[in-house]
Amino acid sequence: MPGSPQSRTGRPPVQRATGRPPAPGPRHENPVLRLYLRLRRAWDRPLTAYYLIFGGSALITVLGLVMVYSASQITALQLSLPGSYFFRKQALAALIGAGLLVAAMRMPVKLHRALAYPILASAVFLMILVQVPGIGVAVNGNQNWISLGGSFQIQPSEFGKLALVLWGADLLARKQERKLLTQWKHMLVPLVPAAFMLLGLIMIGGDMGTAIILTAILFGLLWLAGAPTRLFAGVLSVAALLGFILIKTSPNRMARLGCLGATDPGPGDACWQAVHGIYALASGGLFGSGLGASVEKWGQLPEAHTDFIFAVTGEELGLAGTLSVLALFAALGYAGIRVAGRTEDPFVRYAAGGVTTWITAQAVINIGAVLGLLPIAGVPLPLFSYGGSALLPTMFAIGLLIAFARDEPGARAALALRQPRFGRKRGARGPGTKRGPRSWNTMRRRASAARSSGER
């Protein structure tokens, strides 16, 4: 058109709309919020529980071996033994426990259920043998050990925890499948009488700490089974009354109860162990005095490599080391609860909940005693303290949790999607093809590179 402005190309210029808002630029999210969302997505992945259980238990066991070696050297030398004596025994137990963990991890759920009754019968039989004169051995006033010859001993009550978890889970699962758990008689019988039988056999030997752990496992199973509040409160009241009687009738247990929050050994050094455990933690500071540099383990702190190994950890590794141990146990407990909450198999739910209750309750009781918040119960820190009898069933129980975590629908699908890093994919050959020599990806890459460079 005449009079209209022309561009250099001879075309009329493009008319732009006036008043249009500018295009929005890229939205800048809060980096903290972005990090939170990434962590939450990673936390919700199907294999999170599997990695937490496997990695957390492995780290606790390895760190426990290091601390057992550090905390037990002085005790071994005082007994005219090599400095690595207790470490070598613990390493052997950890090696056997690793085999049990792998076996439990590979077993199907049906085999776990089939093993419940044999393990319970074996544990009861061994706990009866403990009280037979000439077979049972008393350690620190508690007759709960059986000598296997030489320096090797076994504590059957530790296997009673695993037996109660497996047998109780199988029992409650079968009753739930038959819709019998709505009746309080089927919920309590025979679970509670069998648990009380195990508690009686343990208390005959005087092991109050293990009895508390078994009671916690019993309450955990009842809670998972959906016990009514009045029924749960009734069983708890009976257990509390029995515990009060057992503590009141024992001067040793009353003395331990009187050491709560003690800052002085008191008359006759009744609170010596509890106070020196606090001294060890207090002298550690933020990062500790260094691995192997503990002062309290030089005869001042009794049971430095067993019940009070957490105090030596605080002295040598400081607050950072103790918080790391607490974080690992917290991750392990969370993963166990997640496995129990996401499964549809009642046996898996009860067994995972029982194992999680066992490990977390024992860790809380041990660490609470070292911190002076709970009475000294004489229970080891799971996977961490010295003691093969405690380590073996605990590692088998960790294998159960790993097997249950791998068997989740999402985790099973995620594991099935994994491809081998080297070689062909499985099932790539047809049904009628012959199996030829394996060709590796690295070999193919080298051959292609050679051809591209002109080499023959």
Side-chain angles (χ1 to χ4, degrees), residues 116 119-121 123-124 158-169 198 358:
I119 292 178
L120 178 65
V124 171
E158 292 291 340
F159 295 89
K161 304 172 187 176
L162 178 63
L164 181 60
V165 168
L166 287 178
W167 178 79
L198 293 174
W358 163 14

Side-chain angles (χ1 to χ4, degrees), residues 107-120 166 170 347:
M107 288 181 186
V109 175
K110 291 183 178 180
L111 184 55
H112 289 149
R113 299 186 68 167
L115 289 175
Y117 282 87
I119 292 178
L120 178 65
L166 287 178
D170 178 68
F347 172 79

Side-chain angles (χ1 to χ4, degrees), residues 5-37:
Q6 298 290 330
S7 63
R8 293 181 179 179
T9 58
R11 298 178 181 178
V14 178
Q15 300 294 330
R16 300 181 180 273
T18 60
R20 180 179 296 178
R27 184 176 60 182
H28 297 284
E29 295 181 355
N30 188 353
V32 177
L33 178 61
R34 187 164 60 250
L35 178 62
Y36 167 75
L37 293 176

Side-chain angles (χ1 to χ4, degrees), residues 179-369:
K179 296 181 172 54
L180 297 176
L181 291 182
T182 55
Q183 306 176 28
W184 68 270
K185 296 182 297 183
H186 289 282
M187 185 174 292
L188 295 182
V189 180
L191 177 63
V192 175
F196 275 45
M197 176 191 66
L198 293 174
L199 289 173
L201 291 173
I202 292 173
M203 288 307 303
I204 290 176
D207 191 356
M208 185 72 177
T210 305
I212 294 175
I213 305 301
L214 250 72
T215 305
I217 294 173
L218 173 63
F219 288 145
L221 291 175
L222 290 176
W223 181 271
L224 291 170
T229 305
R230 60 181 183 276
L231 185 63
F232 196 83
V235 177
L236 182 61
S237 301
V238 173
L241 179 61
L242 292 176
F244 175 78
I245 295 174
L246 292 172
I247 293 175
K248 193 70 175 177
T249 55
S250 173
N252 184 30
R253 298 187 185 116
M254 285 297 298
R256 292 184 179 185
L257 192 63
C259 292
L260 288 177
T263 57
D264 187 83
D269 292 334
C271 301
W272 179 273
Q273 187 178 20
V275 171
H276 278 272
I278 298 296
Y279 290 169
L281 291 171
S283 60
L286 188 60
F287 297 105
S289 58
L291 191 63
S294 171
V295 176
E296 290 293 332
K297 68 182 180 182
W298 286 77
Q300 300 296 321
L301 181 63
E303 307 297 336
H305 61 296
T306 55
D307 300 343
F308 270 67
I309 194 172
F310 188 76
V312 179
T313 304
E315 185 179 5
E316 294 187 351
L317 302 183
L319 181 64
T322 55
L323 289 181
S324 299
V325 175
L326 291 176
L328 289 174
F329 276 109
L332 194 59
Y334 165 80
I337 294 174
R338 172 170 168 163
V339 171
R342 293 194 173 190
T343 184
E344 297 180 357
D345 190 336
F347 172 79
V348 173
R349 180 169 62 253
Y350 295 132
V355 170
T356 305
T357 303
W358 163 14
I359 295 176
T360 53
Q362 187 165 328
V364 167
I365 291 173
N366 178 276
I367 296 174

